[in-house]
Amino acid sequence: MQQVTSHITRVRQFFSDLGGISGFFARSPKRTNVLDKVVAHRLPRACTVRWNFHSCTVKTVFEHKDDLLQCFETIRDSGEFDPNTTREAGGFVRILEDDTFRFFLELFHRIMPHVDVLYNQLQKRTVNSVFVQGIMQEFTDNVKKIRDSFPTFCGEYSSCASQQQLGKKRRTLGPGELQMLATEVCDTILGHTKQRFSFTKHLISATLLQGDKFQQYNRHFPEEALDTTIEAYPLLNQSKLKNELSLIYSNDEFKNCRGAVALYQLFKQNNLQDTFSETVALLKIQITTPMTTDESERCFSTLKRIKTFLRNTMSKDRLNALAMLSMERKLVKDIPDFNHRVMDKFASLKGKIYVQKIGAVLV
C-alpha cells in the first residue's frame, strides 16, 4: 500500500517523516528515556524490511500525537541535549503541528486496519477462490466507504485546521485539495489491489499437494480444486493428473512428505518423473513460484544471529568467515576433528582469547 501510493509527493513525504519520528528515538537511550516519561509508550523500531512497521507506527503516532508533541518540545527546550538533537526535535514539532501531516495521519489510520485484516486473512492455509474473492470484496468495500466519506471528513478537517491556523502565515490545503489527494490515494490502492489479486487460482493449486490433507483427499477427492488448477494452468492434462493424485493420496509413503520440495525430491530419487509426469510438472510450477515477503521475514538471518552473539565487535574479514562457518555448518560438521584442528591452529597463535571465542562459535 505504501509503495503504490509513493508516487504521490505528499504521501511519500508523509511516510518519510513518519519513519523519522521512530528513528529519532531508536538511536539514543537518552531520548527514549524522555519518551518513556512523557508518552509512556514506545514507538515501533524503524525497519524497512518489516511489512507492518508503518502500520504500527501510524497507529501509535495517531493515538499519542499530542504526547509526542510535548515530548519533542521537552527535548528541544530542556537544554540537556546536543545541538543536532535539539534541531531534529524542533523539526518534528513543526511536523506534528503541520495540518497536512495530521490529515494524512488520520487518513492512513483509517485505511491501515483494513490492510492488516486483509494480510492476516491471506495467511490462512485453507484458502479457495471463493474465500479470496470474498475478503478482497470486503476490503474493496471498506476502502470505498472511506473514500465516500471524504467530502464530510475533508470539510470538517479543513475548517478545524483553518481556525487553528489563524495568525500563522503558512498556507493550508483547502477541502478540495485534501479531498483530491485522499481520493487519489484510495483509487490507487483499489486499482493495484484489483490488479495484484486478479490471479489467485495458483493459491488453490497448492492445496492439492499438502501432505497433511492427503488422507482427507483420499476419502473425498478435491474436484473443485483440480478444476481451478486446470483453469489456472491449461498445459496440464486433467485426467492424467487426477489419476496420479488419486494414487498419491492412497499411498502412505507420500503422506510423510511435507511440502512440494520434499515430494519432488521423492519422485526424483525414485526415478518416478515419467510415471507422475503431470504431478511433477505441477510441483515444478509451485517450487519455482516466488515466495511472498512474509515467508522470508519468518526466517532468522544468519548474519543477525552472528552479530547478536558477538555484539558487533568483529572486523569485516572475521564477520565474513564466521558467516561462512554458520551457513556451511553441515559441511563443517562432516569434517573429522574440525573443532580440534581449528582450536589447535588458534592455540599456536598469539592472543589465547581467540581460542575461547572460536570454540564458542563452533559449539
Side-chain angles (χ1 to χ4, degrees):
M1 183 194 66
Q2 177 195 348
Q3 291 173 354
V4 300
T5 55
S6 61
H7 73 281
I8 305 173
T9 303
R10 291 188 179 272
V11 175
R12 185 169 62 251
Q13 293 173 351
F14 166 76
F15 280 113
S16 176
D17 294 337
L18 190 69
I21 293 176
S22 180
F24 176 81
F25 294 102
R27 296 192 298 267
S28 171
K30 187 176 180 180
R31 301 175 188 175
T32 305
N33 186 39
V34 179
L35 178 69
D36 293 338
K37 290 180 179 179
V38 178
V39 184
H41 195 286
R42 293 286 183 94
L43 289 170
R45 187 174 180 180
C47 182
T48 55
V49 299
R50 285 177 53 193
W51 73 269
N52 61 341
F53 159 61
H54 284 301
S55 176
C56 299
T57 308
V58 165
K59 181 177 183 295
T60 305
V61 174
F62 178 81
E63 294 176 350
H64 303 277
K65 55 180 177 292
D66 295 332
D67 294 333
L68 283 170
L69 182 60
Q70 181 183 351
C71 177
F72 284 121
E73 290 175 345
T74 302
I75 295 175
R76 181 193 60 184
D77 303 333
S78 65
E80 300 178 357
F81 292 86
D82 58 273
N84 290 335
T85 301
T86 303
R87 182 172 59 253
E88 290 182 28
F92 287 122
V93 168
R94 290 188 291 273
I95 288 174
L96 289 173
E97 290 178 344
D98 183 67
D99 294 324
T100 303
F101 178 86
R102 284 176 170 257
F103 170 76
F104 280 114
L105 184 64
E106 185 168 352
L107 171 64
F108 284 104
H109 182 259
R110 294 187 178 193
I111 297 176
M112 286 290 192
H114 301 295
V115 179
D116 292 338
V117 171
L118 176 63
Y119 173 84
N120 293 328
Q121 292 290 334
L122 289 174
Q123 301 314 300
K124 296 181 178 180
R125 299 186 66 183
T126 55
V127 296
N128 54 58
S129 57
V130 177
F131 175 78
V132 174
Q133 291 175 2
I135 60 175
M136 292 310 305
Q137 187 61 46
E138 182 179 359
F139 174 76
T140 301
D141 293 340
N142 289 328
V143 176
K144 287 181 178 179
K145 288 179 182 178
I146 296 174
R147 185 186 60 184
D148 295 339
S149 66
F150 286 158
T152 304
F153 167 58
C154 295
E156 294 175 353
Y157 190 89
S158 180
S159 61
C160 294
S162 299
Q163 294 177 3
Q164 296 175 357
Q165 287 292 325
L166 291 176
K168 295 184 179 181
K169 296 182 179 180
R170 292 189 64 181
R171 175 184 174 274
T172 59
L173 297 177
E177 295 173 296
L178 293 176
Q179 183 177 348
M180 181 180 66
L181 286 171
T183 302
E184 185 178 0
V185 169
C186 288
D187 288 342
T188 302
I189 293 174
L190 291 172
H192 280 265
T193 299
K194 182 179 179 181
Q195 178 182 357
R196 177 165 294 187
F197 293 96
S198 60
F199 180 69
T200 58
K201 294 182 175 60
H202 64 289
L203 300 175
I204 315 303
S205 64
T207 62
L208 289 174
L209 297 171
Q210 290 181 213
D212 55 346
K213 291 187 176 182
F214 285 178
Q215 188 173 359
Q216 173 187 346
Y217 291 162
N218 187 33
R219 296 192 301 267
H220 303 286
F221 190 87
E223 294 284 355
E224 184 178 351
L226 179 62
D227 294 338
T228 305
T229 300
I230 297 302
E231 185 178 352
Y233 305 112
L235 55 96
L236 299 174
N237 187 316
Q238 183 171 1
S239 59
K240 192 173 188 302
L241 178 60
K242 181 177 180 180
N243 293 333
E244 294 176 6
L245 291 175
S246 299
L247 182 58
I248 292 173
Y249 297 154
S250 60
N251 194 313
D252 293 334
E253 185 176 358
F254 294 117
K255 295 178 183 178
N256 298 325
C257 296
R258 299 298 179 186
V261 176
L263 188 59
Y264 176 76
Q265 289 177 345
L266 180 62
F267 287 139
K268 190 174 181 180
Q269 292 171 0
N270 294 277
N271 296 322
L272 297 174
Q273 296 95 322
D274 295 334
T275 307
F276 294 89
S277 58
E278 299 302 312
T279 305
V280 170
L282 180 58
L283 284 170
K284 288 181 178 179
I285 293 174
Q286 293 185 8
I287 293 172
T288 55
T289 300
M291 69 169 62
T292 57
T293 305
D294 56 273
E295 291 180 62
S296 60
E297 288 176 4
R298 290 171 184 162
C299 302
F300 293 99
S301 169
T302 297
L303 180 63
K304 186 174 182 180
R305 289 202 308 268
I306 298 171
K307 295 185 73 174
T308 301
F309 177 75
L310 295 175
R311 302 299 180 190
N312 300 329
T313 60
M314 79 296 290
S315 62
K316 183 177 179 180
D317 293 338
R318 185 182 174 202
L319 176 62
N320 292 338
L322 291 173
M324 183 63 69
L325 284 173
S326 180
M327 288 182 288
E328 302 294 343
R329 57 184 177 275
K330 184 177 179 181
L331 177 63
V332 170
K333 289 181 179 180
D334 293 337
I335 300 177
D337 300 328
F338 177 81
N339 290 3
H340 293 89
R341 291 164 61 186
V342 172
M343 296 181 71
D344 291 341
K345 175 67 175 179
F346 277 84
S348 62
L349 303 176
K350 295 181 180 180
K352 302 299 178 62
I353 190 173
Y354 287 107
V355 178
Q356 299 176 357
K357 288 189 175 182
I358 194 66
V361 172
L362 293 173
V363 172

